[in-house]
C-alpha cells in the first residue's frame, strides 16, 4: 500500500487551480458574489425600525392635541405624513403604504384630559407587516405613556401638591452593540452565509465535473488515493474562501465600521475550520451526485436555506417551534455565527465559545471522512 504523497496532492491541486484560472465564471463566482452579497445585505437588509410613516386625524385641534402630535414628530421612530380629515382618507393612506400607522385624536380629547378623565386615543396599525407593526406599537405606547405621565405631573404641580416619588427608575445600559445598529450583527453573520454558499457550491462541481468529462477514469488509473484527490481538490477553493474572508473583514471594518473587539487570529482560525467542513460537504455532494446541475442545486438547498433560515442569523431560534429548534443543532452555520458574534461584538474567546468550536471540528472531520469513504467506493 503506497504511503501518502504530497507530490500527488500538489499535482491534483495544480490541475484544479489551472481549471479555476481558466474558468473566469468560477473565479468570478468565488470572488465576486461574497462582495456583492455583503453590499446588498449590508445596505439593504436592516432590522432597525425607524422613520415609520404615520398619518394623523386630529379632531380636537387644540394645543394639547398638537403637543401629542409633536411628541410623535420629535421621535426618530416616526415620520409624520400629511394629516387626514376622515377615515376614508386614512384608509387610503394605509392601503397605498403611505402610512403604516394612523393616530386618531377624538374631538373631546382636551376636555377629558383637563377634567382628569380617561382620554382614549385610537392608533390603527397596518398588520400586513406584523414585525414592523409590533415594534412600532411598542414605540407608540412608550410615547403615549410618557406624554400621559407628563400631563399627570403638570396637574399635580398646578394643584400645589408635591410631586410623587417614582418607585422604580430604569437605567438602561447596553452592552456590546451600544448603538443598537443591526448592521453590527448582520455583517458578521454574512461571513458565514457567503462562505457556506460559495465554497460549497464551487466544490460541489469538482468531482461531478470529472465524471461528466470522462477524466475520472484517468484519475482512477493513476496512483493518487481518494484522500489525496480530495485534499488536492479542496486546497484551491480553501485559498479562495480565505481570500473572500479577508475581503469581507476589510469591507466590514472600512465600509460598514463594524466594531471588532476580539482577536483577528481567532477569527481567521475559526473561519478556516468552518471552511474545511463546508468544502468537505461540497465534495461529498459532488461525489454522491456525479452531475454538475444536480450538485449545484443540492448545494444551494443544503447550504443557503439552512444557513439563512435556521442559523439564528435573521430569525431568533428561541421563537421557532420546538421541533425546529432541535433541527438547528445540526446546522453548522448556527455555531459559526455564534462564534462570529462573540468574537466581533463581545470580544470573547474559546473560554466562552469552546462548545461551538468543538462542533465545527466534529463537522469538518465528519464531512472529510464521509467524502473519503464515498469516493473510495466510487473508485473501487
Amino acid at each position: 500500500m503506497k504511503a501518502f504523497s504530497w507530490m500527488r496532492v500538489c499535482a491534483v491541486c495544480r490541475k484544479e487551480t489551472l481549471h479555476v484560472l481558466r474558468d473566469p465564471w468560477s473565479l468570478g463566482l468565488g470572488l465576486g458574489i461574497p462582495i456583492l452579497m455583503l453590499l446588498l445585505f449590508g445596505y439593504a437588509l436592516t432590522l432597525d425600525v425607524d422613520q415609520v410613516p404615520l398619518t394623523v386625524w386630529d379632531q380636537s385641534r387644540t394645543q394639547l392635541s398638537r403637543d401629542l402630535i409633536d411628541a410623535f414628530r420629535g421621535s426618530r421612530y416616526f415620520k409624520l405624513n400629511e394629516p387626514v380629515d376622515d377615515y376614508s382618507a386614512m384608509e387610503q393612506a394605509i392601503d397605498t403604504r403611505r402610512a403604516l400607522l394612523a393616530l386618531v385624536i377624538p374631538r373631546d380629547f382636551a376636555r377629558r384630559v383637563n377634567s382628569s378623565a380617561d382620554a382614549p386615543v385610537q392608533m390603527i396599525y397596518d398588520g400586513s407587516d406584523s414585525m414592523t407593526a409590533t415594534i412600532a406599537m411598542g414605540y407608540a405606547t412608550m410615547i403615549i405613556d410618557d406624554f400621559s405621565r407628563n400631563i399627570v405631573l403638570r396637574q399635580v404641580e398646578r394643584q400645589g401638591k408635591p410631586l410623587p416619588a417614582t418607585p422604580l427608575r430604569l437605567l438602561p445600559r447596553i452592552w456590546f452593540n451600544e448603538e443598537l445598529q443591526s448592521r453590527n450583527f448582520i455583517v458578521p453573520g454574512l461571513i458565514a452565509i457567503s462562505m457556506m454558499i460559495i465554497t460549497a457550491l464551487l466544490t460541489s462541481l469538482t468531482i461531478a465535473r470529472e465524471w461528466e468529462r470522462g477524466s475520472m477514469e484517468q484519475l482512477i488509473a493513476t496512483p493518487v488515493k481518494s484522500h489525496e484527490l480530495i485534499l488536492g481538490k479542496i486546497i484551491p477553493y480553501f485559498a479562495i474562501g480565505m481570500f473572500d474572508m479577508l475581503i469581507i473583514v476589510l469591507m466590514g471594518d472600512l465600509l460598514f465600521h463594524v466594531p471588532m473587539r476580539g482577536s483577528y487570529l481567532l477569527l481567521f482560525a475559526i473561519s478556516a475550520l468552518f471552511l474545511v467542513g463546508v468544502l468537505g460537504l461540497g465534495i461529498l455532494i459532488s461525489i454522491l451526485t456525479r452531475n454538475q446541475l444536480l450538485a449545484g442545486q443540492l448545494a444551494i438547498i443544503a447550504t443557503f436555506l439552512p444557513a439563512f433560515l435556521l442559523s439564528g442569523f435573521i430569525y431568533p431560534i428561541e421563537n421557532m417551534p420546538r421541533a425546529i429548534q432541535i433541527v438547528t443543532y445540526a446546522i453548522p452555520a448556527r455555531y459559526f455565527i455564534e462564534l462570529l458574534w462573540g468574537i466581533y461584538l463581545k470580544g470573547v474567546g474559546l473560554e466562552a465559545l469552546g462548545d461551538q468550536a468543538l462542533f465545527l471540528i466534529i463537522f469538518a472531520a465528519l464531512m472529510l471522512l464521509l467524502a473519503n469513504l464515498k469516493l473510495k467506493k466510487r473508485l473501487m
Side-chain angles (χ1 to χ4, degrees):
M1 186 175 181
K2 296 181 178 62
F4 178 85
S5 172
W6 278 107
M7 185 178 296
R8 293 193 291 266
V9 172
C10 292
V12 176
C13 179
R14 180 177 180 274
K15 174 183 178 297
E16 195 66 29
T17 302
L18 289 175
H19 171 78
V20 172
L21 295 177
R22 291 170 181 171
D23 185 2
W25 288 105
S26 295
L27 191 60
L29 182 71
L31 298 179
I33 288 189
I35 298 175
L36 182 61
M37 287 182 60
L38 183 62
L39 292 174
L40 290 178
F41 280 83
Y43 284 113
L45 179 62
T46 176
L47 304 180
D48 302 328
V49 178
D50 52 13
Q51 296 295 300
V52 178
L54 169 69
T55 189
V56 178
W57 181 14
D58 183 8
Q59 302 178 26
S60 177
R61 299 184 184 276
T62 59
Q63 182 60 48
L64 203 57
S65 65
R66 287 192 290 271
D67 290 342
L68 177 58
I69 296 172
D70 288 339
F72 281 91
R73 182 179 288 109
S75 170
R76 72 179 181 90
Y77 302 113
F78 295 98
K79 179 183 68 176
L80 264 67
N81 292 332
E82 292 295 325
V84 297
D85 53 8
D86 55 40
Y87 275 107
S88 61
M90 181 187 306
E91 183 179 359
Q92 184 180 11
I94 294 177
D95 290 342
T96 57
R97 301 287 291 181
R98 287 186 291 109
L100 294 180
L101 286 81
L103 174 65
V104 181
I105 303 176
R107 193 178 305 277
D108 59 347
F109 172 73
R111 179 183 61 79
R112 296 179 68 88
V113 169
N114 292 328
S115 61
S116 299
D118 290 338
V121 294
Q122 186 180 41
M123 182 69 76
I124 300 174
Y125 300 87
D126 181 0
S128 59
D129 186 352
S130 59
M131 181 178 296
T132 302
T134 301
I135 297 175
M137 188 184 306
Y139 293 152
T141 301
M142 180 178 61
I143 292 175
I144 293 293
D145 289 344
D146 188 63
F147 183 80
S148 177
R149 188 183 308 109
N150 290 335
I151 289 177
V152 172
L153 293 177
R154 285 200 300 267
Q155 289 177 345
V156 170
E157 188 177 9
R158 192 162 44 243
Q159 295 172 1
K161 298 179 180 179
L163 296 178
T166 304
L168 295 175
R169 188 162 62 101
L170 179 65
L171 297 176
R173 183 179 179 184
I174 302 171
W175 286 11
F176 311 130
N177 186 11
E178 293 83 358
E179 299 177 354
L180 294 179
Q181 296 290 332
S182 61
R183 68 171 181 269
N184 289 343
F185 70 88
I186 286 178
V187 171
L190 282 175
I191 295 176
I193 303 298
S194 60
M195 287 179 65
M196 190 164 195
I197 295 172
I198 300 306
T199 53
L201 181 60
L202 290 176
T203 52
S204 67
L205 307 178
T206 57
I207 304 295
R209 182 173 57 244
E210 301 286 358
W211 284 111
E212 288 187 353
R213 294 182 177 180
S215 56
M216 180 57 76
E217 287 80 1
Q218 299 175 5
L219 287 173
I220 293 175
T222 65
V224 65
K225 298 180 180 180
S226 58
H227 56 273
E228 294 171 344
L229 178 61
I230 291 173
L231 185 57
K233 291 282 188 181
I234 281 179
I235 290 176
Y237 299 105
F238 179 84
I240 292 176
M242 293 306 294
F243 183 72
D244 286 337
M245 174 71 184
L246 176 62
I247 292 177
I248 294 175
V249 169
L250 290 176
M251 291 180 64
D253 182 21
L254 302 177
L255 192 60
F256 296 100
H257 307 292
V258 177
M260 175 61 174
R261 295 189 171 90
S263 167
Y264 281 104
L265 180 60
L266 179 61
L267 174 65
F268 279 91
I270 291 295
S271 300
L273 182 61
F274 176 74
L275 189 57
V276 170
V278 175
L279 291 171
L281 174 62
I283 290 288
L284 178 61
I285 292 173
S286 185
I287 294 170
L288 294 175
T289 58
R290 293 194 180 192
N291 180 280
Q292 292 189 74
L293 178 60
L294 179 59
Q297 293 173 341
L298 186 58
I300 292 295
I301 295 174
T303 58
F304 177 73
L305 294 179
F308 193 81
L309 299 177
L310 301 179
S311 64
F313 171 56
I314 296 296
Y315 309 105
I317 295 176
E318 297 77 12
N319 296 342
M320 299 178 184
R322 181 58 183 170
I324 302 298
Q325 292 184 32
I326 296 175
V327 173
T328 63
Y329 286 106
I331 307 300
R334 166 182 177 163
Y335 303 94
F336 187 42
I337 288 177
E338 289 179 5
L339 284 161
L340 291 172
W341 283 339
I343 295 171
Y344 258 98
L345 301 179
K346 299 180 181 180
V348 296
L350 294 180
E351 71 282 354
L353 302 171
D355 293 342
Q356 290 84 344
L358 178 61
F359 180 88
L360 293 186
I361 294 174
I362 297 173
F363 168 67
L366 181 62
M367 290 299 102
L368 294 178
L369 178 62
L370 290 176
N372 185 48
L373 293 175
K374 290 297 180 180
L375 186 57
K376 276 184 177 180
K377 293 182 178 181
R378 294 295 191 273
L379 295 178
M380 292 175 61

